[in-house]
């Protein structure tokens, strides 16, 4: 897809630079003149939104590290000092904390979009796998970052998650002590988590570079899932998608700012404003909302090791997804059965999140009468989660009859435009804004 | 527009997921505070009265480790503006604020070692912390029959329900305990407490203290004021946060409009 | 896909141009709004590196002076560095007042309480400091008191008191001699010892900073 470069250096300086290190050419070909399908919808703005999220987290994180003290006796107090005394510290910490949630919100949109439009299918398998690597790194960074304020949830979250590795046979206990740097979660653990929490975002930035590289070889997928065939199927990235992404980013910022300024603690847990106490366990330990579905999968299995294997398997299965989906058609727009199963899959993920947040022994509201508690709900949804990838997608490719697809992206766009115009003329009024 | 709906729905869904299961017998009573809502602000007089309640009642057992006297005179604090010679004067630096200095000086603290290495007490200055009732956790436990009174610096953020929870808890001792509940000595029934059993005896009675501003010190009034004070202490920059938030929101909405216009203009000749 | 795409200026397939003024206005307004917003966002990230409220809270200190006898000196810490507070003897004051101002290497008082004034003993002493409303301080005491930052103006060492050729302060690092008013008289230091801003806030206490 990346054809011959259209960049022409115009000044002496750019000509000089271009023959030595064609960095301007790279930027031009990647973000200015990059041919992009003309039918991308707003679900495709989340890539740009995620880049912005990463930059926000890195910039605010570097600033917070200037004031934060990674020591068990001072961590909580240093966070309080950031909130109370550092100039705009309350703002920067709030952006960083809310930003983590916003990052995951955007990445989930991005992932579900990829699942729906078949963006993981050939020739974009590597692009997808790199994305899953980024997601794993994000979870590691988020988990370690949540430990740093050294509140009750920080401490006990670190305790529960690190102890999971203790379920490994034979090497379990040595591995856990290696992670802790001691015989319990303590100062050593906090220090190494701080160091790694600072490192991982830069690893993410590196993998994002690879992710974009892997994107720019085959080019973007699009809502029709049909490959680009002619020039008429595409538009240059700038100004068409810079403006569309820019608008999407600002809409995203409005939600972001709402939480930062009006509800900064809504996405966190009140117990994390209680300093860590190794003697008192909070009554109800839960991870942050974005990890709840995995927590539900973990608890769905009575055996700890089995739960850990299944939890990591839930992410592991994403790595082989490109080869599990046997359908020839990428986009679920043209897959009448698959889109239903996809819809249930989204509901299953939300339901797993709900089950992860609740006490497993509590009855599910409305279903308690027939004996459904959150444990059972978590188990059923876990089965569906794995069945979606391991049974439904492989089988559907053989049994499903796809709908007729347009000849090209251009044809699809013109067809839709014609339909829109038809609707507009029927409503005997001037055409409303799109 | 569909995208926005989807985003909002997802965000709200996430919130619903994060909401905890209530384990107290009663949720905090709803109460209208002046700082509620996107334009709410602290009532300085209420925070001042709440500070008096804290100092005269709560501070005997509860510390506020992260509070300094200077915070009282910071921007948004209760003594940011103080009357001097019949006029309200604002001090940008709380160190120069005579009211804050006078309050701090009522409490003593160990000073720096002198030239003989002896540590002498000196009056506190605005930069000093609030006095702490215990030297260490063990002492606090021993003094309270094993139950360590929690630090109150960020208490309204550390409890679901925030200021409403504090107010309800302070007034929540009048309920009849369930018949099957066996209370140990030194424990009290309070349905707003997590687990409904609390080691803190009832504190507020009408006329317990006399307010400096002449307000009648009913239990109700003191509970509301002290909740107000803790809300401020937990979130001292709330007013700056909300006013900045308003500016940011207005800016972002204008920018969204401009970007949408730009987007439409750029795409005006493209079918998509 | 090997086709070359139209350049952004190429716009639509029909080559039709919208009226330029309105289009340009939207672009310029949007770009301007982004630039202004970006500038505002920068400020919190710059300002967070300025001294925080807890640091500023210790930027001014109060210290008692009235217990000092003539010939006594204390060193107090202020903004991370030492400050000399000396109650000078009659002889020291007299010695400082005898000096011909024109003969001084640095003729500026280096006194933040009286900026740009000549380096006379009066301008160096506590006579130059402000007295808060309603506070009465004996003039003789103010003449005798001197408050100075205790860092040599050469490279920042702390000079030794009652030492040197002028019986004032002597910096052992590179041999700078200061007189009894803290003025440089000989040696590599370029300026008189600096005097911080301070005020008599009560009959017994000064506030530095």
């Amino acid at each position: 897809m990346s054809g011959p470069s259209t960049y022409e250096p115009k000044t002496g300086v750019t000509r000089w630079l271009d023959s030595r290190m064609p960095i301007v050419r790279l930027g031009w070909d990647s973000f200015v003149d990059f041919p992009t399908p003309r039918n991308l919808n707003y679900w495709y703005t989340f890539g740009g939104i995620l880049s912005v999220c990463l930059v926000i987290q890195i910039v605010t994180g570097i600033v917070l590290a200037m004031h934060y003290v990674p020591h068990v006796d001072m961590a909580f107090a240093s966070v309080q000092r950031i909130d109370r005394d550092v100039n705009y510290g309350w703002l920067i910490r709030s952006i960083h904390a809310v930003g983590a949630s916003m990052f995951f919100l955007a990445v989930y949109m991005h992932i579900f979009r990829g699942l729906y439009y078949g963006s993981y299918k050939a020739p974009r398998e590597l692009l997808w796998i790199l994305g899953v690597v980024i997601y794993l790194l994000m979870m590691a960074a988020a988990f370690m970052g949540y430990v740093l304020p050294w509140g009750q949830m920080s401490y006990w979250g670190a305790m529960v998650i690190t102890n999971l590795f203790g379920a490994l046979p034979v090497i379990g206990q040595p591995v856990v002590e290696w992670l802790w740097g001691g015989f319990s979660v303590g100062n050593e653990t906090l220090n190494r988590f701080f160091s790694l929490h600072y490192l991982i975002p830069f690893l993410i930035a590196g993998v994002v570079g690879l992710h974009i590289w892997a994107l720019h070889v085959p080019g973007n997928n699009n809502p029709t899932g049909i490959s680009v065939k002619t020039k008429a199927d595409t538009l240059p990235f700038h100004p068409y998608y810079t403006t569309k992404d820019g608008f999407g980013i600002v809409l995203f910022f409005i939600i972001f700012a709402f939480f930062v300024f009006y509800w900064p603690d809504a996405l966190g847990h009140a117990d994390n404003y209680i300093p860590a106490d190794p003697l008192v366990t909070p009554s109800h330990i839960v991870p942050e909302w974005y990890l709840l579905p995995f927590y539900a999968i973990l608890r769905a299995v009575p055996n700890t090791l089995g739960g850990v294997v299944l939890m990591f398997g839930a992410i592991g299965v994403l790595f082989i997804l490109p080869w599990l989906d046997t359908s020839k058609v990428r986009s679920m727009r043209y897959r009448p059965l698959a889109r239903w199963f996809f819809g249930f899959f989204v509901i299953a993920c939300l339901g797993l999140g709900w089950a992860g947040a609740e006490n497993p022994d509590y009855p599910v509201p409305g279903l308690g009468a027939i004996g459904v508690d959150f444990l059972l709900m978590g188990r059923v949804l876990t089965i569906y989660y794995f069945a979606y990838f391991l049974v439904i997608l492989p089988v559907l490719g053989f049994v499903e009859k796809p709908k007729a697809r347009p000849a090209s992206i251009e044809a699809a766009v013109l067809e839709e435009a014609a339909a829109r115009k038809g609707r507009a003329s029927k409503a005997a009024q001037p055409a409303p804004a799109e | 527009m569909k995208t926005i709906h989807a985003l909002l729905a997802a965000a709200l869904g996430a919130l619903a997921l994060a909401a905890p299961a209530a384990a107290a017998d009663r949720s905090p009573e709803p109460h209208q505070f002046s700082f509620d809502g996107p334009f709410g602000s602290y009532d300085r007089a209420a925070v001042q009265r709440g500070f008096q309640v804290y100092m005269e009642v709560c501070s005997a057992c509860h510390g506020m480790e992260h509070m300094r006297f200077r915070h009282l005179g910071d921007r948004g604090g209760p003594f940011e503006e103080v009357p001097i010679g019949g006029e309200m004067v604002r001090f940008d630096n709380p160190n120069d604020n005579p009211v804050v200095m006078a309050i701090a000086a009522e409490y003593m603290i160990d000073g720096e070692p002198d030239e003989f290495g002896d540590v002498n007490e000196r009056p506190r200055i605005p930069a000093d912390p609030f006095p702490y009732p215990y030297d260490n956790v063990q002492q606090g436990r021993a003094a309270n029959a094993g139950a360590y009174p929690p630090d109150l610096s960020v208490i309204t953020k550390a409890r679901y329900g925030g200021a409403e929870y504090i107010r309800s808890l302070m007034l929540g001792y009048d309920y009849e305990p369930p018949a099957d509940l066996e209370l140990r000595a030194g424990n009290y029934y309070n349905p707003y407490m997590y687990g409904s059993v609390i080691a803190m005896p009832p504190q507020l009675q009408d006329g317990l203290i006399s307010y400096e501003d002449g307000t009648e010190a009913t239990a109700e009034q003191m509970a509301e004021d002290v909740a107000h004070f803790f809300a401020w202490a937990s979130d001292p920059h709330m007013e700056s946060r909300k006013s900045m938030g308003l500016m940011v929101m207005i800016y972002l909405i204008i920018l969204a409009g401009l970007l949408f216009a730009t987007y439409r203009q750029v795409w005006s000749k493209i079918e998509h | 896909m090997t086709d070359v795409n139209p350049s952004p200026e190429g716009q639509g397939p029909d080559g039709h141009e919208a009226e330029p003024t309105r289009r340009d206005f939207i672009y310029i307004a949007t770009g301007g709004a982004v630039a202004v917003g970006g500038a505002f966002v920068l400020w919190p990230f710059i300002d967070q590196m300025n001294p925080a409220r807890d640091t500023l809270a210790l930027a001014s200190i109060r210290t008692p002076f009235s217990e000092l006898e003539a010939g006594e000196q204390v060193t107090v810490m202020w903004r991370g560095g030492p400050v000399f507070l000396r109650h000078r003897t009659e002889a020291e004051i007299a010695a400082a007042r005898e000096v011909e101002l024109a003969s001084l290497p640095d003729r500026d008082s280096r006194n933040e309480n009286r900026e740009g004034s000549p380096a006379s003993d009066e301008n160096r002493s506590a006579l130059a400091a402000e007295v808060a409303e309603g506070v009465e301080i004996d003039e003789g005491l103010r003449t005798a008191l001197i408050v100075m930052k205790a860092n040599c103006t050469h490279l920042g060492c702390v000079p030794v008191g009652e030492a040197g050729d002028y019986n004032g302060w002597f910096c052992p690092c590179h041999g700078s001699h200061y007189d009894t008013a803290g003025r440089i008289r000989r040696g590599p230091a370029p300026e008189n010892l600096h005097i911080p801003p301070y005020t008599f806030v009560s009959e017994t206490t000064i506030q530095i900073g």
Side-chain angles (χ1 to χ4, degrees), chain A residues 35 67 81 85 87 231 234, chain C residues 4-5 47-48 51 53-54:
Chain A
H67 306 285
R81 181 176 173 271
D85 292 339
N87 301 317
K231 184 175 133 182
T234 67
Chain C
V4 174
N5 280 279
D47 193 35
Q48 54 88 15
R53 303 294 292 179
D54 56 339

Side-chain angles (χ1 to χ4, degrees), chain C residues 11 34 37 126 149 174 204:
Chain C
Q11 298 294 332
V34 170
K149 289 191 210 174
H174 302 95
T204 55

Side-chain angles (χ1 to χ4, degrees), chain A residues 50-233:
Chain A
L50 284 163
S51 313
V52 173
C53 282
L54 179 62
V55 170
I56 290 174
Q57 289 308 90
I58 289 180
V59 170
T60 53
I62 287 172
V63 165
L64 290 171
M66 294 181 191
H67 306 285
Y68 172 75
V69 183
H71 187 283
V72 290
D73 293 338
M74 275 120 88
F76 192 88
S78 73
V79 172
Q80 281 298 307
R81 181 176 173 271
I82 290 169
D83 272 357
R84 292 170 191 276
D85 292 339
V86 173
N87 301 317
Y88 296 104
W90 58 269
L91 173 65
I92 294 165
R93 191 176 85 85
S94 178
I95 294 174
H96 196 72
V98 172
S101 282
M102 291 295 129
F103 207 155
F104 275 95
L105 180 64
V107 92
Y108 284 131
M109 298 289 176
H110 195 63
I111 292 172
F112 282 126
R113 188 269 289 151
L115 288 172
Y116 185 77
Y117 293 123
S119 303
Y120 49 86
K121 294 168 80 72
R124 298 185 183 83
E125 303 95 325
L126 199 55
L127 172 62
W128 172 262
I129 288 170
L130 286 165
V132 181
V133 171
I134 293 171
Y135 177 45
L136 267 177
L137 287 170
M138 277 175 63
M139 288 200 278
F143 161 64
M144 292 188 198
Y146 197 57
V147 174
L148 302 184
W150 210 242
Q152 275 289 67
M153 278 295 163
S154 300
Y155 180 87
W156 291 101
M159 183 69 94
V160 168
I161 301 296
T162 50
N163 262 321
L164 291 181
F165 292 91
L168 293 170
V170 187
I171 55 164
Q173 196 55 27
V175 164
V176 172
E177 283 174 11
W178 175 76
L179 285 172
W180 288 339
F183 304 103
S184 175
V185 174
N187 197 49
E188 282 293 313
T189 325
L190 178 62
N191 265 277
R192 63 191 57 184
F193 279 16
F194 178 56
S195 171
L196 293 172
H197 181 70
Y198 206 117
L199 167 72
I200 290 174
F202 296 97
L203 295 182
I204 293 177
V207 184
V208 166
L210 298 178
H211 190 67
I212 294 173
W213 188 7
L215 167 70
H216 283 186
V217 175
N220 289 79
N221 184 28
N222 65 83
T224 65
I226 303 165
S227 297
V228 168
K229 294 191 177 83
T230 64
K231 184 175 133 182
D233 288 341

Side-chain angles (χ1 to χ4, degrees), chain B residues 157-198:
Chain B
K157 286 189 175 197
R159 297 289 184 278
Y160 286 106
E164 285 179 352
Y165 166 82
I166 301 291
R167 180 181 168 276
S168 299
L169 188 79
M170 295 314 297
L171 298 172
Y173 286 89
D174 295 336
Y175 294 89
E176 196 59 40
D180 56 345
L181 184 76
E182 268 189 52
L183 283 172
R184 281 186 294 154
N187 277 352
Y188 303 84
Y189 178 72
N190 188 325
Y192 298 104
M193 179 73 183
Y194 188 88
S196 300
V197 175
I198 189 167

Side-chain angles (χ1 to χ4, degrees), chain A residues 362-365 367-377:
Chain A
Y362 285 179
V364 178
L367 299 174
I370 51 168
V372 180
D373 58 13
F374 281 103
L375 182 65
L376 181 62
M377 174 170 139

Side-chain angles (χ1 to χ4, degrees), chain C residues 107-111 114-120 123-124 128:
Chain C
R107 283 176 229 170
D108 189 295
S109 68
R110 304 288 166 197
N111 187 341
R114 210 174 265 190
E115 284 197 61
S117 60
S120 67
N123 286 339
R124 299 274 304 166

